[in-house]
Amino acid sequence: MKKLPQDVVIFMLLKLPLKSLLRFKSISKIWYTLILSDTFFKLHLKRTTTKKDEFILFIRTLREDDPYKFTSIASFFSGDDKNNLTTLFPDVDVTHLSSTSCTIFNELIGPCHGLITLTDSDIIIVLNPGTRKYVVIPESPFDCPKGYYRYIEAVAFGFDSIINDYKIIKLSDVYWDPPTDDRGPRGSRVEIYNLSIDSWREHNIEFSSIYFTHCSEIYYKEAVHWFTIQDDLVILCFDISSEIFRTMELPSVCTDLNGPRYGLAVLNDCLVLMSYPDSMCSIDHTENLLSIWMMKEYGESESWIKIRTISPLPIPIESALVIWKDYLLLLQTQTGYLISYDLYSDEVKEYNLNGHHESLRATKYTECLTTIPTLSEHSKQVQQL
């Protein structure tokens, strides 16, 4: 270290995997200070990576011996050239997301600078899969007025590059609670949490009700995207920095709500839309195919182009999860198992990984040094999985 210029040492360290960097912190105080410095972190965040550096995180729900008890499991994998999955760490029981009901509303949001948010709408966890450090976010202190109740529509997570902070956004519907079956008029509530200062605040802004489909929430271009209905089905976006909602239209043939399901993903750094059969739909005319549309110019609805149709689907599927390595489409089958579909070769591979009906979630990530800020002394602190 003393004999080599610091820029040479930094260049060498940037070539190392995260596991080695974390181990090298213990060599000396000089190495510890360098690796954890803001300068090195920014260089590590911007380093050149390839698809081989891309890992995958799964969250799945398994039924326990008690038929009314379910457990959420986190599984971490890398992949090889033959699309086999290699375990990076032992499976982790995410006890914070375990419940007495099937956790089909568990979601993975991100990655954002190597951080991912896990949520079942009520509990929110921010996790660095590379270091396996995590924190449970404190609950929002804002209650509904007497005579009203709220329904959590969605949770968002992303980075505000203007104030250099991570934000969590909780979207809720607020209803008048009369003593009848009529829920009364709908209002909306937006609550925003700033990670660095461990604080929730309310944001007075209206939004359209979220149209929930599994694996349809995605963080892209410093915004979080969902589906909503405004006459037709459209994409609802929330910009993390400006804290403003906007919408983007879908291809004109992808607004049918009486048959297909829709999902969002990223392929070749572009936003893509996936349309596939709804396994719960009773309408017979639903076609047995999966279509992939790409938005060539982000934000320009006229730039949607269909890039692939898979017909017929080789196995009945429950949901489309993610596109890994820009060619491997991961899906959950109706029997609960994980399969991949190679968009180049059309090869289908089934893995020994399964979850309860509609419970499998997946996100791809690149390992990063990002440190989760320590919260206030009254909040839960950063922990190790």
Side-chain angles (χ1 to χ4, degrees), residues 190-234:
V190 178
E191 297 159 279
I192 300 177
Y193 176 84
N194 288 77
L195 190 58
S196 66
I197 60 174
D198 183 26
S199 178
W200 284 97
R201 57 188 165 88
E202 288 187 296
H203 185 32
N204 186 22
I205 184 173
E206 297 289 326
F207 66 91
S208 303
S209 184
I210 303 297
Y211 179 77
F212 177 80
T213 62
H214 300 293
C215 306
S216 61
E217 186 171 51
I218 190 167
Y219 177 72
Y220 175 70
K221 295 286 187 183
E222 298 190 7
V224 182
H225 305 71
W226 306 272
F227 294 112
T228 188
I229 301 175
Q230 293 183 351
D231 296 330
D232 291 320
L233 189 68
V234 298

Side-chain angles (χ1 to χ4, degrees), residues 18-19 37 88 111 122 127-128 131-132 139 141 149 177 233 237 247 249 253 281 288 339 353 368 375:
L18 183 62
K19 186 177 181 179
S37 68
L88 292 172
D122 292 317
L127 164 73
N128 184 329
T131 63
R132 292 194 297 164
E139 294 183 6
Y149 73 97
D177 193 11
L233 189 68
C237 314
T247 59
E249 294 181 1
V253 297
C281 182
N288 184 29
I339 65 168
L353 187 80
C368 189
L375 304 184

